[in-house]
Amino acid sequence: MRRWLKPLRVAIALVFLGVLTAAFLDFRGLVPARLAHAFAAVQIGPAALAATAGAVLGGVALAVILVVTLLFGRVYCSVICPLGILQDVIARLRHRRSRVLRFSAGNKLLRYGVLAGALLAVGLGATGAAFTLLDPYSHFGRIVATLGRSALVFGNNALVPVAQALGGQAIYRVPPPAPSLGLVLFALGAAITVTALALWRSRIYCNTVCPVGTALGLLSRASAFRLTIDQTACTKCTDCLRACKAQCIDLRTGDIDASRCVSCANCLGACQHGGIAYRFAWRRTPRAPDSQRRAFVASALLLPPLAALPSAAPKPRRAPVAPPGAQNVDRLLDRCTGCQLCVTACPTQVLQPSVFDYGWFGFAKPHLDFGRAFCNFDCLRCGEVCPTGAITPLALADKRLTSVGTAKFERSRCIVETDGTDCAACSEHCPTKAVNTVPFRDNLRLPEVKEDLCIGCGACEFACPVRPQRAITVTARATHTRAAKAVEAKPQLPKPVGDFPF
Amino acid sequence: MKTSRRDFLKTGLALAATVSAGRFTRALAADAPAAPRTILAAVRDGSRTAMLDRALAELGGLGQFVHPGQTVLIKPNIGWDVAPDLGANTHPELVGHLVKLCRDAGAKSVSVFDHTCDQWQRCYANSGIEPAVREAGGIVVTGDDHALYRTVEIPRGVKLKSAEVHQLVLDSEVFINVPVLKHHSGSLMTGAAKNLMGVVWDRRFYHRNDLHQCIADFLTFRKPDLNIVDAYHPMVRNGPRGRAADDVVELRSLLASTDIVAVDTAAARLLSQNPADIRHIGLAAAHGVGTSNLDSLDIRRVKLA
């Protein structure tokens, strides 16, 4: 067992890392929405959020992760979490086999302080913001989506002229992503932090910063099967220390800190003496007073209340439009972790991450940017991929009637009024014909909005040629509603029937 | 320019035909026409492919337009991300069949593109046109790449003085325009002339600067060599995108002509619209790029059933 456990772990981890990386890099819609969703929805952060909303996959994933942790420790951190696996990849670039990371006691105050802070934020109702800032999967998503995908698109577009010169149609130009500076800096900060920490001390991020790691660590300390050093077999050769990326093996005392062990099984294979093995640990007698638990409780009490923060949020110039399926803005902010999976999946790229459009707590969460594109009438992808249930999947018939905003027509700015020429770009694009044209002076046609039919897709605003301010704009609905469905009789055949009218 | 050579050949052929038919016509009528009138093929009540075959036969065969070794551009309407039954795009069956006919006529390459309104990959796929063209041996090219457009001057344009035009329009030897006929909330009708908005990069410019005039102006730069209007099930309301399959009526018609103004004039009649109301038809006729006087044409009315 000790021989195949690590290769098995590595194989599964690479599948998770590969699929999720592909999903976040995907700029041509090649990764099936279901696949991206499945691999993201079993991540613990999204799973926990989705489970509270009653999602079956999220609930099952959460239960499985917790049970596995209770049985075998932090397998999640080594096998499923893309940020954890990414750190292993980064650490390998430097460490190879030579370097020994000595046992470290770990920074308990920081670890439990972050976890307590996260729990406190959740308790105070800032769930979405806490997950956005701290969930490792979401950090991974932003790093790959914001930095990796942008670089990939840039490279793709640079290759297009070459491909076209060779007569190929396989590579085509895609609109360059334009993530805001705030988001780039945030992702860059996370990338640099994670990379530096991984190069320095391998999994120290997971064991110091990541609240998911800390929470699972608390559970791991009570796990049934634990990696244990057999003192009779151990020669203190330090082979296990070379293999351990969590710095959790204390050879002096012969203990392995279960709360920081990520169950990577490296030490199992490294030990030539059979000195480390999984042992059933639930027979043990109760432990001495628990210093870690005390540190956790103490740090929670020390934390400054986060509740004072939101009042400092800058006022958005215009209320952002939440994607269909979000139901309402508060719900979106509560449930979205800002992972960017919907943003990368959006085929028109109308979905863009906000910086402060929704206020502080809306950082990195998606809104519809009608200056860039409009929401495709028949597209369901954002809801299909969203792992947290922040964007609930809709049936096509529902999506087509979900109203996320209302078009407002400003006649005094319209070309038809100002220039006396036909335009109708707005009504041309409108999929529900909430914007239609009515006869106007001099054989012209003037746009007219039927608000009850409008779903706020933004096609009219996107198409309107009037600048600087457009003549038709979509106003967000804080709570989404259901649009009316137009009913029309079958149109009559033009006369004459069955003959040529000329 | 290549067009002038083609025009020369066409005129030559037409003259030869007139001369050989001269003796016969002189016997029939005292005042024989100096030159043959432009043909407008109007076909009804057949399948799309059968109507296309017949229309082309009336026009003297596709060989009149496509010669072996030539590069051909087919410009359908692929503007919208909707299924074929909504009638917002040219029907894939018609486009596919035309691609095949061009290949059979010996075309070196047959390219198809449109600068779509909805997201282009979805339009290409969901219109059914991309698979149909591929299967028929044509090439599908994106219209959503600014680098593929070149700026051209339009000296005779009133509003549209220059435009960025897709290189396939500028470089292809044969240009076939295959619009779908439908209602339009702004220009009242989308036909052959309106369909050419899809070959320029900046469609917003048209909307901002007198839509009808720009549509007409473009024709002074480049007229398609052949226009084939898919009027099998024209959308008669809620155009140009359409809302439901209910927006189309089954007319089972097809129009084809080298005269883009004539073909749109007839198309307006098919929609029960007065061609005089559709400003770009009149403006195009005023530019002299075609005629809106159907009486001056040789209309071949054919009912297949």
Side-chain angles (χ1 to χ4, degrees), chain A residues 40-223:
Chain A
V42 299
Q43 301 296 324
I44 195 164
L49 281 170
T52 59
V56 177
L57 181 58
V60 171
L62 183 67
V64 169
I65 292 168
L66 293 180
V67 167
V68 166
T69 310
L70 209 54
L71 285 175
F72 303 106
R74 289 167 61 180
V75 176
Y76 173 79
C77 303
S78 278
V79 177
I80 313 232
C81 175
L83 196 72
I85 303 159
L86 180 67
Q87 289 172 74
D88 292 347
V89 174
I90 293 168
R92 264 188 88 86
L93 296 177
R94 178 175 160 195
H95 292 162
R96 289 286 162 198
R97 295 193 150 266
S98 59
R99 194 157 153 231
V100 181
L101 291 171
R102 289 177 182 285
F103 173 76
S104 150
N107 189 332
K108 283 180 189 156
L109 194 66
L110 196 56
R111 282 180 85 189
Y112 295 112
V114 174
L115 177 60
L119 294 176
L120 188 66
V122 171
L124 291 172
T127 312
F131 275 83
T132 303
L133 284 174
L134 296 167
D135 175 45
Y137 151 79
S138 302
H139 271 302
F140 174 84
R142 281 187 298 268
I143 290 170
V144 180
T146 311
L147 308 176
R149 184 174 182 272
S150 301
L152 194 65
V153 168
F154 182 78
N156 173 79
N157 288 353
L159 277 177
V160 169
V162 182
Q164 282 171 353
L166 296 170
Q169 302 294 329
I171 300 181
Y172 49 76
R173 198 168 263 103
V174 293
S180 60
L181 185 64
L183 195 75
V184 171
L185 290 177
F186 191 72
L188 202 60
I192 290 172
T193 305
V194 166
T195 304
L197 290 178
L199 289 174
W200 178 42
R201 283 165 100 192
S202 214
R203 287 289 193 120
I204 192 167
Y205 176 89
C206 308
N207 277 333
T208 311
V209 182
C210 181
V212 168
T214 306
L216 292 179
L218 284 173
L219 210 57
S220 295
R221 292 170 65 235
S223 63

Side-chain angles (χ1 to χ4, degrees), chain B:
Chain B
M1 261 179 98
K2 278 149 191 160
T3 41
S4 60
R5 184 181 60 194
R6 188 161 44 247
D7 284 349
F8 169 76
L9 286 172
K10 270 188 224 159
T11 317
L13 285 168
L15 276 173
T18 318
V19 169
S20 60
R23 222 170 300 153
F24 182 62
T25 37
R26 221 172 299 137
L28 285 174
D31 50 348
R37 296 179 296 173
T38 307
I39 297 168
L40 170 67
V43 190
R44 277 203 67 135
D45 301 331
S47 70
R48 293 182 180 86
T49 52
M51 290 195 296
L52 176 60
D53 288 340
R54 182 57 187 267
L56 289 173
E58 295 295 330
L59 291 168
L62 189 62
Q64 294 282 318
F65 307 97
V66 179
H67 303 128
Q70 285 187 314
T71 53
V72 178
L73 165 64
I74 293 173
K75 164 64 177 77
N77 193 331
I78 329 177
W80 306 99
D81 172 21
V82 295
D85 63 322
L86 262 74
N89 303 310
T90 311
H91 201 277
E93 191 183 47
L94 185 67
V95 181
H97 187 58
L98 184 59
V99 170
K100 186 181 171 297
L101 293 177
C102 291
R103 297 290 293 177
D104 292 348
K108 188 167 91 184
S109 67
V110 183
S111 304
V112 175
F113 90 96
D114 191 9
H115 188 192
T116 60
C117 298
D118 282 332
Q119 203 241 358
W120 72 275
Q121 293 99 326
R122 292 183 62 106
C123 293
Y124 279 29
N126 296 340
S127 66
I129 289 178
E130 179 172 2
V133 169
R134 290 240 161 94
E135 194 175 327
I139 307 163
V140 183
V141 179
T142 177
D144 193 44
D145 184 347
H146 198 179
L148 296 179
Y149 290 75
R150 299 203 299 269
T151 305
V152 298
E153 298 302 315
I154 304 174
R156 289 170 60 205
V158 174
K159 287 286 167 93
L160 191 71
K161 302 251 177 223
S162 73
E164 291 171 286
V165 177
H166 198 286
Q167 62 185 27
L168 278 173
V169 176
L170 305 174
D171 301 337
S172 298
E173 290 170 280
V174 184
F175 178 18
I176 304 178
N177 184 24
V178 195
V180 67
L181 178 63
K182 53 183 177 168
H183 164 258
H184 191 285
S185 59
S187 66
L188 292 177
M189 179 189 98
T190 291
K194 174 77 177 59
N195 190 43
L196 297 185
M197 266 181 87
V199 307
V200 300
W201 176 253
D202 189 2
R203 263 196 318 266
R204 281 207 187 103
F205 182 91
Y206 278 53
H207 285 285
R208 203 164 42 218
N209 298 282
D210 195 345
L211 184 63
H212 288 286
Q213 188 66 58
C214 290
I215 293 170
D217 286 352
F218 182 84
L219 299 177
T220 66
F221 168 73
R222 178 74 156 101
K223 280 188 297 175
D225 302 304
L226 177 62
N227 304 279
I228 299 162
V229 180
D230 175 9
Y232 189 91
H233 55 196
M235 180 193 296
V236 293
R237 67 180 179 204
N238 295 328
R241 192 188 195 282
R243 189 160 59 188
D246 258 4
D247 294 334
V248 305
V249 296
E250 197 160 299
L251 213 57
R252 293 200 287 163
S253 302
L254 182 139
L255 302 171
S257 179
T258 54
D259 187 326
I260 192 165
V261 184
V263 87
D264 272 356
T265 308
R269 294 258 182 237
L270 284 182
L271 286 183
S272 296
Q273 298 215 32
N274 181 0
D277 289 343
I278 298 158
R279 268 183 71 230
H280 64 258
I281 292 179
L283 293 168
H287 267 314
V289 294
T291 180
S292 56
N293 178 12
L294 293 183
D295 293 339
S296 68
L297 297 165
D298 174 4
I299 304 180
R300 310 282 178 86
R301 298 175 183 83
V302 183
K303 285 195 191 183
L304 292 180

